Amino acid sequence: MGDMSNSGFYAKNQRNEDNHAAGFGCSVMELRSLMELRGTEAVVKLQEDYTGVEGLCKRLKTSPTEGLAGAQIDLDKRREIYGKNLIPPKTPKTFLQLVWEALQDVTLIILEIAALISLGLSFYHPPGESGGECCKLPVSLNDEGEADAGWIEGAAILLSVVCVVLVTAFNDWSKEKQFRGLQSRIEQEQKFQVVRGSQVIQLPVSDIVVGDIAQIKYGDLLPADGVLIQGNDLKIDESSLTGESDHVKKCADMDPMLLSGTHVMEGSGRMVVTAVGVNSQTGIIFTLLGAGTEEEEKKEKKGKIIISWNYLKKQDGAAAMEMQPLKSAEGGESDEKEKKKRVHGSKKEKSVLQGKLTKLAVQIGKAGLLMSAITVIILVLYFAIDNFVLQKQPWLPECTPIYVQYFVKFFIIGVTVLVVAVPEGLPLAVTISLAYSVKKMMKDNNLVRHLDACETMGNATAICSDKTGTLTTNRMTAVQCYMGDVHYREIPDPGALSPKLLDLLVNSISLNSAYTTKILPPDKEGGLPKQVGNKTECGLLGLVLDLKRDYQPIRNQIPEEKLYKVYTFNSSRKSMSTVIKLSDGNFRMYSKGASEIVLKKCNHILNEVGEARVFRPRDKDEMVKKVIEPMACEGLRTICVAYRDFSGDPEPNWDDETNILNNLTAICVVGIEDPVRPEVPDAILKCQRAGITVRMVTGDNINTARAIAIKCGIIHPGEDFLCIDGKEFNRRIRNEKGEVEQERMDKVWPKLRVLARSSPTDKHTLVKGIIDSTIADQRQVVAVTGDGTNDGPALKKADVGFAMGIAGTDVAKEASDIILTDDNFSSIVKAVMWGRNVYDSISKFLQFQLTVNVVAVIVAFTGACITQDSPLKAVQMLWVNLIMDTFASLALATEPPTESLLMRKPYGRNKPLISSTMTKNILGHGVFQLIIIFTLLFVGEKIFDIDSGRNAPLNSPPSEHYTIIFNTFVMMQLFNEINARKIHGERNVFDGIFRNPIFCSIVFGTFAMQIVIVQFGGKPFSCQPLNLEKWMWCVTCQLICFCLPTVLVFLLLFLFFLFTMFYSSSVYLCCSSVFSMEEDANEDNEEIDHAERELRRGQILWFRGLNRIQTQIRVVNAFRSSLYEGLEKPDPRSSIHNFMTHPEFRIEDSTPNIPLIDDTDDDSARRRKYSSQPSSPNKNNNAIDSGINLTIDTSKSAASSSPASPLHSLETSL
C-alpha cells in the first residue's frame, strides 16, 4: 500500500517536471540533479547553469533577502509543481483488517472449530429408533423443543467469539487513532523559520515550499534540500546520509549544498529551498524504501543509513507524514537500543512492563493449557470407563454421533478453561494505560515520543536537570554591571557613562548577537516586553534599551550579510565573536561570553573615560573576587563584553582562532538575573519525598549555580553534598591517563548535587557513571533534561531524556523521549506521577485478572472432574472473559493519578510484578470466592430449595441452580473489580471512585448487561430467570468482599488488646525490640501496607494511653515523695512501674534500657528529645516514635502511694 501511494505521488511530480508554462525557470528534475552534486562541482554547475545563487533565486521567483511574497495562489502553484513537503505514509489498517487480525488468535480459532462441530452435530439425527442402547446415555430427548435447541450452544459460542473479536478490533482501532493523533501533535510541534514578505516567521515544516528562504541556525534539523545563500561559521553533520561522522564545513563559494535530514552543529545562515517532500534527498530514500521494513533493515545492516524510528511509528497510520529528518548515527549503545526497538517493534513499541506482562501471560497460558488438557483427558476417560467398562456397554455405530457430541462437549469445556486461563488482557491493559496516560500527559505539557518512557519515568531515582529555562523562568534581565571601573548595583543613567564607552558597548551588543534575537512590544498593554530568540542575548539587548539606546538602527546600518566573520557560540568556546570591516579598511571584532573565560583573554580594560588601560593578572583576580563572585552569589549570570581591533594590512588569518580570540579589551561585565520559577521549589520537594535525587547540571558559574540550587531547594545548608565545577569533576573521576574510572565515579556521584561549568561531555559522563554504578541495591534510573545539540548523547544515554520544547534544538528533541512543551521542571514531576500511575494501574488489573483466572480455572476443572460438566458454560466463560480482559483493563487502566503516588519511593527495576500485599489479596479473595462457589455447587439446591443442576443430561434445559452459581460468580468479579482499585491494603476502596467516569460506566454497564443475560439470556447463555429474593442473595454474598478485610483487621485488633491486657508485662519487655525491628524492616520495605498500619496504629494508641497514665502517676509520686522524706517508704509493689522492677520481671543487662518515662522533669526538654529522633519512613512518624520509647525503666523505682490512698487503689486496679 505504501509503495503504491508513494510511487503515485512520485509519478505526479514526474508528470510536472517539464512544466515551465507556470513561469518558473527550473523543473523538478533539474533541481533534483543539481542537489545530487557536492563541493566545487556543485559550485561550478550553479555558476554555469544559473549564474550563481542569485540567478537560481531569480528563476524560482524569490528574493534572497525578502523571501516569497506569501500570496496563497503562488504557494499553491509551487506545491502543485514541486510537491508538498510531506511523505504519504502507509495507509492505516481498516477496521476489517483489524477484525481479521483479531481472528488469528489461536484460542479463538480452536473455539470456533469446536463450536462449528457442535453446531453440525446438533443438526444430525441418527437413523432408526430413538430408543435402544443409546437411551442409556444421559441425553435429554424427552422435550422435542429442547432436543431441537441443541444448536443454540454452538451458535452462542460463535456469537460470543464475534463479540470478542469486534471489541478487540475496536480497541486496536481506537489505539491506532490515538497514536495518529499523538503523531500529528508531534508534527505540529516541529516548526522552522522562513522569510516571507521581509518578515521572519515560524512555519510548520509541511508548509515550506520550493523558493522559500529558510533561516538556519545551530541545532536545526534541515526540513528540505537547499542552496546556501549566506553562512556564518556553518558546520553540518551529514552522518545520517553519508555515515561520515566528521562535521562538514559549508560556505557559499565552496560547498553550498544543504540536504534535508542533516543537523546544523555550528553557525547560522540562509538557504533557498530547492527540493521538498519526496523530491528531497531524504524523500528519494523513503520512496525507494517504500513502507516495508525489510528493506530498511537491509540498508541499516549496510551501515549507510538509519531511518528515524519516528517514521516507523508513522507507518502505523498518520494521516500524512511531515518531513522528518533522519536519525543521527551517534551514540553506539543508544543506537543498539533503537535497533532493538525497530526490529522487535516494527508494529508497535513494547515497553519493559509490557514485556514482563507478556512473559507472565505466556507462563499463565501454559499452565492453563496444561489444566485444559488434563480436564479433557479426565472427562473422556471418566465417560469411557463409566460407560464401556463399568456399565459394559458396546460401541454401537448408531450411537456414534451422540458419543461424538459428548466428546465435543468435553473438548469445549477444556477450551473454555483455556480461554479463561489465558490472560490476553494483560498486554492490552498496558497499551490502554500507556495510551491513556500519553493523551492526558499532553495536557500536563509532556509530549511523549516513546511510549516506554512514560512507564520508565515512574521508576526514576535521579533527575539531572539544566538550570536555565527549566529551573528558572528563562526571562533574562540585566540588573547589575561593572563598567568604567565602577560596580553599578542598578543599571546606571546613560549620562553617567562616557560616550565612547557607551557607543562601544551598544555596538558590541547590537552586532555581536543573532539578528533573529529581538525584543518586541508586549502583547497586552502593561505587560512585559516579548523576548524572541536567545534569552541571554535578549537580556543584553534589554540593557541597550535601558541605556536609552536602540539596537535596530545599528543592525540596519550593518545587515547580517555584511558581517565579515562570525565565530558562533559553542560549548568549547563558551563565547561568541563577530568581525566587521571598518570604513578605513581595518577590522574590529566584538566578543561576549562567560565572564571568567573572556576576562582571561583580556589584556586591557576601558576606564571611566573610555580609554584602554592595562589589565594585569592581579587586576583580574581582584575583579573576580570583588565583582564576579558577589554577582554570582546573588544568583546572577555574569557576561563579559569585549572587543579587539585588527589591521587590514595584512589581513589576519581568521582560521587561527587561538590568536584571534586573544588580547581583548574588556568593555564591561553584566550581571543578568534569571529568577527561579515559583513552582520549582515545591516540585523539587515532591521529588525528594518521592525518593528522587535532583541534580543541577549547568554551564553557568559555580557560585551562580550554588545560589540557584539553594533557592530551588536542591541543596540545604548543613547537608553533606558536593557542589563542584566541570574541571574538578573530571579531576576526581579520571586517572592519570585521563580515563574515567567507575570506582572514582562512585565516590563522587552519590553526594553530587550541583555540577557547574559543565560541558555536554561532562553531562554524558555523569549520566553514564550513575547508570553503570553497582554500589546501590537497585540500578539507578536516570532522567536528563537537555536543550542543546550537544546534549544529544546524554539524552540518548539516559533512561528518559527530556528535551525543551521552547528553548530546545531539533537535534535535542530528536534524541529525547519526552518533550517538555513549557520547559518547566514541574512538568517532569507530573511525568513521574503519570509513570507511577501506569505501574499501579497495571498492578490493579493484574490483581483482578489473576483472582478471576485462579477461581474460574479451579471451578471449571474441579466441576468438570466431579460433576462431568463445568458449572460455568462456554458462553458464560466468554462473557466473564470479556469482563475481565477488555472491560476491566479499560476500567482499571484509566484511573487518574493522585498526589499520594509521590509519597513513596520508586519501585525499582527488579521489583516483582506481584507484591506481597497483592498476593494476600489474590489468595484471600480467591479462597473466599471458591468457598462460596463450591458451597453453591454442592449444597446450593438445598439452601434455595431448587432442583440440582449437577449431572444434567446432554441438551438439558438451563437449571436455576447453575444460573445462581454463574450470577454469583459474575457479581463477585464485579465487586472484586472495585476492590482491585486499591492495591496497598487501603480500607476505603470507594475513595475517588467518581473521579473516574469510565470505571463507573463500565461497572454499571456490566451490572445492567448481567441482569439482561440472566433474565432474558435463556438457552444461549444457559440461564434460567431468577426472582428478586435469589438476586438479593447473589448480591449479598458479594458485600462480604468489602467487609472481609475490615472484619479481619478488627478481629486481630481485638485479639491483640486481649493479649496486651493479660500479658502486658511480656509486651512491655519486648515492645522496644519489636518496634525497632519493625522500623528497620520498614527502611527497606518500599511497599505501603495499610492493613498493617491500621494494626500498628491500634498498638500505638494502646501504649500511648498506658504511657500517659504512668506519666501522671509518676508526676503525683514525684510530688508526694517530699512528704515521705525522713519517713519509712511504703511497699513499692503497688504501682505498675515498681511491680515491673520485681526480680522476676527485671530485664537482663544485655538488653538496652530506654526509660519508659524521661528522667528529666523538664517536659519541654523531653519533647525536644523526642522531636530530635530520626523520622520513620512510616507516615505515622510521631506515633511510632512515641511507641519506640515505651520500654521499662529498671534503673530506679518511683515512690509509691500509701496503701490506703485513692491513688493506691487506682494503681492497684491498673
Side-chain angles (χ1 to χ4, degrees):
M1 295 291 288
D3 281 330
M4 290 174 66
S5 61
N6 279 341
S7 58
F9 195 90
Y10 178 68
K12 183 181 176 182
N13 284 310
Q14 286 283 87
R15 288 195 296 271
N16 290 319
E17 71 176 45
D18 296 321
N19 189 355
H20 288 271
F24 297 110
C26 313
S27 70
V28 173
M29 291 307 296
E30 285 172 355
L31 291 174
R32 277 181 60 168
S33 60
L34 173 66
M35 294 313 299
E36 288 170 3
L37 303 176
R38 301 285 180 274
T40 52
E41 191 181 2
V43 176
V44 171
K45 176 78 171 173
L46 200 60
Q47 196 63 41
E48 288 178 354
D49 291 4
Y50 302 96
T51 64
V53 181
E54 290 78 10
L56 178 63
C57 291
K58 194 173 180 181
R59 284 208 199 180
L60 291 173
K61 295 190 174 181
T62 185
S63 165
T65 53
E66 296 179 4
L68 296 174
Q72 192 60 46
I73 297 173
D74 178 51
L75 296 176
D76 290 341
K77 187 183 289 184
R78 289 175 188 273
R79 289 194 185 99
E80 184 183 347
I81 294 170
Y82 296 111
K84 297 178 181 178
N85 196 27
L86 52 85
I87 297 173
K90 179 182 175 182
T91 309
K93 290 175 184 173
T94 63
F95 185 76
L96 288 177
Q97 286 176 311
L98 294 170
V99 167
W100 177 248
E101 281 187 5
L103 279 168
Q104 307 305 310
D105 186 88
V106 178
T107 52
L108 289 180
I109 290 171
I110 294 170
L111 210 55
E112 289 159 16
I113 293 168
L116 287 171
I117 293 170
S118 173
L119 200 61
L121 288 170
S122 67
F123 291 112
Y124 174 77
H125 298 290
E129 294 296 323
S130 62
E133 295 295 325
C134 294
C135 290
K136 294 179 182 178
L137 292 171
V139 181
S140 176
L141 297 174
N142 300 326
D143 185 349
E144 188 180 346
E146 289 296 339
D148 292 339
W151 63 272
I152 291 178
E153 185 178 18
I157 292 172
L158 286 177
L159 190 63
S160 301
V161 168
V162 169
C163 287
V164 171
V165 165
L166 289 175
V167 169
T168 306
F170 178 76
N171 276 334
D172 288 341
W173 178 80
S174 59
K175 178 189 72 179
E176 202 164 286
K177 185 182 175 185
Q178 277 186 331
F179 288 155
R180 285 200 297 273
L182 168 65
Q183 191 54 51
S184 65
R185 173 73 186 266
I186 290 174
E187 290 166 356
Q188 288 166 13
E189 287 292 318
Q190 192 180 3
K191 295 187 176 180
F192 210 81
Q193 280 190 340
V194 298
V195 180
R196 282 192 184 171
S198 303
Q199 296 293 318
V200 178
I201 59 172
Q202 290 250 342
L203 278 183
V205 166
S206 59
D207 290 350
I208 293 174
V209 296
V210 170
D212 261 325
I213 304 300
Q215 288 206 335
I216 55 178
K217 63 183 184 305
Y218 159 82
D220 283 343
L221 262 72
L222 300 184
D225 292 352
V227 178
L228 185 66
I229 298 172
Q230 174 266 327
N232 299 318
D233 198 24
L234 194 62
K235 290 182 182 176
I236 305 290
D237 175 12
E238 294 184 345
S239 58
S240 55
L241 286 177
T242 64
E244 297 293 332
S245 58
D246 293 337
H247 298 168
V248 181
K249 193 169 184 179
K250 298 284 183 178
C251 55
D253 55 354
M254 294 288 288
D255 186 3
M257 297 303 176
L258 301 173
L259 307 175
S260 59
T262 56
H263 305 158
V264 181
M265 303 307 289
E266 281 187 34
S268 60
R270 281 180 296 121
M271 74 171 187
V272 56
V273 175
T274 55
V276 294
V278 291
N279 296 308
S280 67
Q281 293 301 300
T282 306
I284 292 167
I285 294 168
F286 277 136
T287 305
L288 293 173
L289 291 177
T293 56
E294 289 178 13
E295 293 90 345
E296 185 264 344
E297 286 174 14
K298 289 176 189 174
K299 289 271 184 184
E300 191 174 321
K301 285 175 186 173
K302 292 178 185 176
K304 294 289 177 71
I305 185 168
I306 298 175
I307 301 300
S308 170
W309 176 237
N310 269 345
Y311 178 67
L312 289 179
K313 285 197 297 182
K314 290 183 178 70
Q315 294 304 303
D316 274 337
M321 186 195 115
E322 291 185 8
M323 196 58 208
Q324 287 289 330
L326 302 179
K327 180 80 71 179
S328 169
E330 302 176 319
E333 291 184 28
S334 54
D335 279 345
E336 287 300 318
K337 191 165 69 176
E338 288 290 324
K339 286 178 187 175
K340 285 178 185 174
K341 282 182 184 177
R342 285 192 289 270
V343 173
H344 298 295
S346 57
K347 289 187 180 179
K348 61 180 179 179
E349 294 175 85
K350 184 173 279 190
S351 70
V352 178
L353 185 60
Q354 203 166 2
K356 278 184 183 179
L357 287 172
T358 304
K359 188 178 177 183
L360 181 67
V362 169
Q363 291 170 344
I364 296 171
K366 286 178 180 176
L369 186 62
L370 183 66
M371 291 287 284
S372 65
I374 293 171
T375 305
V376 174
I377 291 167
I378 289 174
L379 286 170
V380 170
L381 287 175
Y382 191 99
F383 176 81
I385 292 169
D386 184 50
N387 286 284
F388 303 122
V389 177
L390 298 178
Q391 296 183 25
K392 297 182 180 178
Q393 292 180 17
W395 183 289
L396 299 173
E398 60 269 21
C399 296
T400 301
I402 296 175
Y403 295 147
V404 173
Q405 271 189 303
Y406 264 102
F407 292 148
V408 169
K409 177 187 174 184
F410 298 152
F411 184 68
I412 287 175
I413 291 170
V415 174
T416 303
V417 172
L418 179 63
V419 167
V420 176
V422 175
E424 62 269 22
L426 287 181
L428 176 67
V430 183
T431 307
I432 290 174
S433 182
L434 287 173
Y436 172 78
S437 299
V438 164
K439 189 177 179 183
K440 293 293 183 182
M441 284 172 75
M442 283 188 192
K443 295 179 182 177
D444 286 338
N445 303 306
N446 285 279
L447 185 60
V448 181
R449 298 181 68 249
H450 299 140
L451 274 184
D452 55 351
C454 173
E455 164 218 319
T456 308
M457 197 59 212
N459 291 326
T461 57
I463 298 174
C464 297
S465 173
D466 280 345
K467 176 182 74 69
T468 306
T470 310
L471 300 175
T472 59
T473 58
N474 201 21
R475 183 176 181 83
M476 305 287 191
T477 311
V479 292
Q480 294 186 29
C481 62
Y482 177 91
M483 63 179 86
D485 294 333
V486 180
H487 184 181
Y488 295 97
R489 294 282 174 180
E490 294 179 352
I491 302 303
D493 186 87
L497 301 175
S498 159
K500 183 179 178 182
L501 176 65
L502 189 58
D503 285 342
L504 274 169
L505 176 63
V506 170
N507 280 304
S508 178
I509 292 173
S510 302
L511 298 174
N512 187 33
S513 55
Y515 277 34
T516 52
T517 302
K518 298 175 183 177
I519 294 182
L520 303 176
D523 292 334
K524 296 178 181 177
E525 192 176 344
L528 293 170
K530 198 172 169 186
Q531 295 186 344
V532 179
N534 184 287
K535 303 302 179 183
T536 305
E537 290 181 347
C538 284
L540 293 172
L541 291 176
L543 173 64
V544 172
L545 298 177
D546 289 342
L547 293 171
K548 307 295 189 289
R549 301 290 286 271
D550 191 2
Y551 59 86
Q552 198 56 50
I554 300 168
R555 288 182 172 181
N556 294 340
Q557 190 179 350
I558 305 177
E560 194 172 6
E561 54 268 19
K562 287 190 179 180
L563 299 177
Y564 198 80
K565 175 73 177 175
V566 178
Y567 299 94
T568 53
F569 180 90
N570 62 31
S571 56
S572 57
R573 289 187 190 125
K574 290 209 179 287
S575 65
M576 175 183 177
S577 303
T578 301
V579 180
I580 60 169
K581 193 167 186 177
L582 302 174
S583 56
D584 58 4
N586 294 325
F587 298 95
R588 174 169 288 172
M589 180 182 74
Y590 295 113
S591 191
K592 71 170 188 290
S595 55
E596 60 265 46
I597 291 171
V598 174
L599 280 175
K600 284 180 184 175
K601 299 174 181 177
C602 292
N603 291 340
H604 296 82
I605 188 169
L606 298 182
N607 60 17
E608 65 275 5
V609 293
E611 298 294 332
R613 65 171 176 83
V614 177
F615 194 45
R616 296 165 296 184
R618 185 174 63 196
D619 299 330
K620 294 177 187 177
D621 293 339
E622 190 176 354
M623 178 174 277
V624 168
K625 288 178 184 176
K626 294 187 177 179
V627 178
I628 294 173
E629 284 187 3
M631 283 185 182
C633 288
E634 292 177 37
L636 304 183
R637 167 177 282 188
T638 55
I639 304 292
C640 180
V641 181
Y643 80 102
R644 181 183 175 185
D645 287 330
F646 294 93
S647 171
D649 186 23
E651 186 174 335
N653 178 13
W654 301 114
D655 293 331
D656 185 9
E657 281 190 42
T658 308
N659 290 325
I660 294 293
L661 302 178
N662 217 331
N663 299 321
L664 305 177
T665 301
I667 300 173
C668 79
V669 173
V670 183
I672 298 176
E673 182 183 45
D674 187 10
V676 173
R677 288 180 182 266
E679 64 274 17
V680 161
D682 185 49
I684 287 176
L685 183 62
K686 286 179 182 176
C687 280
Q688 290 164 346
R689 282 180 187 159
I692 302 169
T693 303
V694 181
R695 295 178 176 88
M696 181 197 290
V697 184
T698 178
D700 223 330
N701 181 293
I702 181 75
N703 294 316
T704 306
R706 187 188 287 112
I708 297 294
I710 290 171
K711 288 179 182 178
C712 292
I714 292 174
I715 58 177
H716 302 280
E719 282 186 350
D720 185 17
F721 59 81
L722 274 178
C723 186
I724 56 178
D725 59 15
K727 189 182 289 185
E728 175 64 15
F729 174 69
N730 281 289
R731 188 188 66 76
R732 292 192 182 205
I733 64 169
R734 296 182 187 274
N735 58 20
E736 296 77 13
K737 297 178 183 177
E739 299 167 342
V740 177
E741 287 186 357
Q742 188 61 45
E743 190 179 346
R744 289 172 178 249
M745 174 67 79
D746 288 342
K747 293 177 182 177
V748 174
W749 73 259
K751 292 183 179 179
L752 182 66
R753 293 294 178 273
V754 176
L755 180 59
R757 283 286 178 247
S758 63
S759 66
T761 308
D762 294 337
K763 183 187 279 190
H764 179 265
T765 305
L766 174 63
V767 172
K768 186 177 185 299
I770 296 175
I771 289 175
D772 294 346
S773 177
T774 55
I775 58 171
D777 295 335
Q778 297 276 358
R779 179 173 99 65
Q780 295 283 301
V781 179
V782 183
V784 170
T785 68
D787 55 6
T789 299
N790 290 331
D791 287 331
L795 289 169
K796 283 184 179 180
K797 180 63 184 172
D799 294 289
V800 182
F802 285 90
M804 303 296 112
I806 300 169
T809 61
D810 290 340
V811 178
K813 291 175 186 176
E814 275 291 303
S816 69
D817 300 297
I818 298 174
I819 297 173
L820 296 177
T821 55
D822 63 346
D823 289 12
N824 196 335
F825 184 86
S826 61
S827 299
I828 299 176
V829 180
K830 290 174 184 172
V832 172
M833 197 159 71
W834 276 107
R836 293 187 175 191
N837 190 60
V838 166
Y839 202 101
D840 277 10
S841 295
I842 303 309
S843 296
K844 291 169 188 176
F845 176 71
L846 193 60
Q847 177 177 306
F848 171 75
Q849 171 103 54
L850 292 182
T851 306
V852 183
N853 273 17
V854 168
V855 175
V857 169
I858 291 175
V859 166
F861 175 75
T862 311
C865 294
I866 294 174
T867 67
Q868 298 302 293
D869 190 11
S870 172
L872 301 173
K873 308 300 180 187
V875 179
Q876 295 173 353
M877 283 288 206
L878 285 171
W879 167 237
V880 171
N881 200 48
L882 199 64
I883 293 172
M884 71 183 190
D885 273 352
T886 306
F887 297 156
S889 62
L890 191 61
L892 294 170
T894 53
E895 283 279 322
T898 59
E899 289 285 336
S900 61
L901 290 165
L902 298 174
M903 300 305 288
R904 63 164 174 81
K905 291 183 180 178
Y907 279 135
R909 284 179 170 267
N910 304 326
K911 182 187 181 294
L913 279 173
I914 304 169
S915 66
S916 58
T917 305
M918 286 171 64
T919 306
K920 285 186 281 186
N921 290 340
I922 291 167
L923 292 176
H925 286 288
V927 169
F928 167 73
Q929 290 184 20
L930 286 171
I931 290 170
I932 296 289
I933 294 295
F934 284 137
T935 302
L936 291 174
L937 178 61
F938 295 111
V939 294
E941 70 276 15
K942 296 175 184 176
I943 296 172
F944 294 103
D945 192 23
I946 53 177
D947 294 333
S948 173
R950 296 192 303 277
N951 300 316
L954 196 67
N955 295 329
S956 60
S959 67
E960 210 172 9
H961 181 198
Y962 274 22
T963 303
I964 290 172
I965 293 173
F966 166 60
N967 196 33
T968 305
F969 181 75
V970 171
M971 289 294 106
M972 281 196 286
Q973 305 324 316
L974 206 56
F975 282 73
N976 190 32
E977 197 171 326
I978 299 171
N979 265 330
R981 291 184 65 249
K982 305 296 178 184
I983 55 171
H984 297 303
E986 297 95 329
R987 291 290 144 260
N988 184 8
V989 294
F990 295 102
D991 182 36
I993 192 169
F994 294 112
R995 288 194 298 119
N996 187 1
I998 297 175
F999 183 90
C1000 297
S1001 304
I1002 286 173
V1003 169
F1004 288 121
T1006 308
F1007 187 74
M1009 281 295 296
Q1010 179 64 16
I1011 294 172
V1012 171
I1013 286 170
V1014 170
Q1015 297 303 115
F1016 308 106
K1019 180 70 176 176
F1021 280 93
S1022 303
C1023 287
Q1024 188 76 14
L1026 301 178
N1027 58 30
L1028 185 61
E1029 182 189 354
K1030 293 186 178 70
W1031 265 102
M1032 293 306 296
W1033 276 109
C1034 290
V1035 174
T1036 304
C1037 285
Q1038 317 327 313
L1039 293 176
I1040 305 172
C1041 288
F1042 297 130
C1043 308
L1044 190 65
T1046 310
V1047 168
L1048 286 173
V1049 169
F1050 279 112
L1051 184 63
L1052 286 169
L1053 282 173
F1054 179 71
L1055 291 173
F1056 175 75
F1057 288 143
L1058 287 178
F1059 180 77
T1060 51
M1061 288 294 288
F1062 291 106
Y1063 299 100
S1064 57
S1065 57
S1066 304
V1067 174
Y1068 269 120
L1069 291 172
C1070 66
C1071 68
S1072 175
S1073 58
V1074 167
F1075 274 116
S1076 60
M1077 285 166 62
E1078 285 183 357
E1079 195 172 47
D1080 290 340
N1082 281 333
E1083 287 292 335
D1084 299 323
N1085 184 15
E1086 293 171 0
E1087 182 195 340
I1088 304 170
D1089 192 335
H1090 290 264
E1092 292 176 10
R1093 183 177 296 168
E1094 291 287 342
L1095 188 61
R1096 192 178 296 123
R1097 189 177 289 126
Q1099 295 172 345
I1100 292 158
L1101 291 172
W1102 176 252
F1103 285 125
R1104 208 184 252 173
L1106 288 175
N1107 192 13
R1108 184 170 294 173
I1109 293 170
Q1110 291 201 336
T1111 304
Q1112 292 169 353
I1113 292 170
R1114 187 184 181 283
V1115 170
V1116 174
N1117 286 346
F1119 173 73
R1120 293 174 61 224
S1121 62
S1122 60
L1123 300 176
Y1124 293 102
E1125 283 184 15
L1127 301 174
E1128 184 182 351
K1129 293 183 181 178
D1131 180 16
R1133 290 284 178 85
S1134 54
S1135 77
I1136 295 175
H1137 198 82
N1138 290 311
F1139 180 75
M1140 297 302 296
T1141 62
H1142 192 270
E1144 295 174 34
F1145 299 97
R1146 196 176 294 278
I1147 301 174
E1148 295 297 327
D1149 291 337
S1150 60
T1151 307
N1153 296 326
I1154 304 173
L1156 177 64
I1157 301 169
D1158 202 324
D1159 291 334
T1160 59
D1161 288 329
D1162 185 359
D1163 195 44
S1164 63
R1166 180 165 67 254
R1167 281 198 298 271
R1168 282 198 303 273
K1169 178 181 176 184
Y1170 289 162
S1171 65
S1172 66
Q1173 292 169 358
S1175 61
S1176 163
N1178 195 295
K1179 290 182 184 176
N1180 301 296
N1181 285 337
N1182 297 333
I1184 289 182
D1185 288 346
S1186 63
I1188 290 171
N1189 289 289
L1190 289 175
T1191 314
I1192 297 84
D1193 181 5
T1194 59
S1195 57
K1196 57 181 179 179
S1197 62
S1200 69
S1201 59
S1202 165
S1205 67
L1207 184 60
H1208 171 77
S1209 61
L1210 170 65
E1211 292 171 349
T1212 307
S1213 64
L1214 281 170

